[in-house]
């Protein structure tokens, strides 16, 4: 079960740890509860989000940079302002072409990101 934060209403990004997940990728868990989670993910140029799948729905917004995104056999270059959606159990991944940030939203929350 996902534990809710002390204040479930407000998240100040400057007070939330940024986790180095390796290979040029850093992640910050922002607002979340059992049913939804939003994360900010920094990618260095050339960093790869390996193709994978999970039971969560995912919608991602490209805040900055340029990414080559793979979803269910399709491939597209995405830039700041673009967004993509991944249905549960679809294979997906990304390669960072220009250093940037993705804002990832998951439903339900990714308990594996919280170490629970």
């Amino acid at each position: 079960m996902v534990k809710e934060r002390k204040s479930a209403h407000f998240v100040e990004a400057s007070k939330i740890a940024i986790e180095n997940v390796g290979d040029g990728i850093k992640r910050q868990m922002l607002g979340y509860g059992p049913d939804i989670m939003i994360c900010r993910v920094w990618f260095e140029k050339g960093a790869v989000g390996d193709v994978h799948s999970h039971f969560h729905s995912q919608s991602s917004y490209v805040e900055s940079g340029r990414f080559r995104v793979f979803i269910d056999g399709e491939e597209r270059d995405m830039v700041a302002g673009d967004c993509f959606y991944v249905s549960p159990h679809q294979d997906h991944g990304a390669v960072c072409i220009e250093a940037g940030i993705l804002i990832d939203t998951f439903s339900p929350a990714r308990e594996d990101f919280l170490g629970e």
Side-chain angles (χ1 to χ4, degrees):
M1 176 182 283
V2 174
K3 295 178 189 172
E4 293 196 31
R5 296 193 178 188
K6 211 175 214 181
S7 172
H9 304 290
F10 303 100
V11 176
E12 297 174 64
S14 64
K15 295 180 181 178
I16 304 298
I18 298 172
E19 173 187 10
N20 185 347
V21 295
D23 298 321
I25 301 173
K26 294 179 183 177
R27 178 174 61 214
Q28 184 181 41
M29 259 56 78
L30 297 170
Y32 64 86
D35 299 326
I36 196 164
M37 171 183 272
I38 187 167
C39 306
R40 178 182 289 131
V41 187
W42 288 263
F43 288 79
E44 294 176 8
K45 181 179 179 176
V48 176
D50 291 325
V51 174
H52 64 288
S53 66
H54 43 71
F55 69 89
H56 311 82
S57 295
Q58 176 179 342
S59 186
S60 297
Y61 172 77
V62 181
E63 180 179 298
S64 63
R66 186 170 164 221
F67 296 83
R68 181 156 298 131
V69 178
F70 309 88
I71 304 172
D72 198 32
E74 291 186 57
E75 175 180 323
R76 182 134 340 145
D77 284 2
M78 309 292 287
V79 297
D82 291 343
C83 187
F84 57 91
Y85 173 75
V86 182
S87 295
H89 307 289
Q90 283 187 318
D91 288 336
H92 61 284
V95 174
C96 184
I97 300 167
E98 293 175 12
I101 299 171
L102 294 179
I103 304 298
D104 291 339
T105 305
F106 300 97
S107 180
R110 293 285 307 258
E111 291 185 29
D112 56 319
F113 284 5
L114 299 171
E116 298 177 12

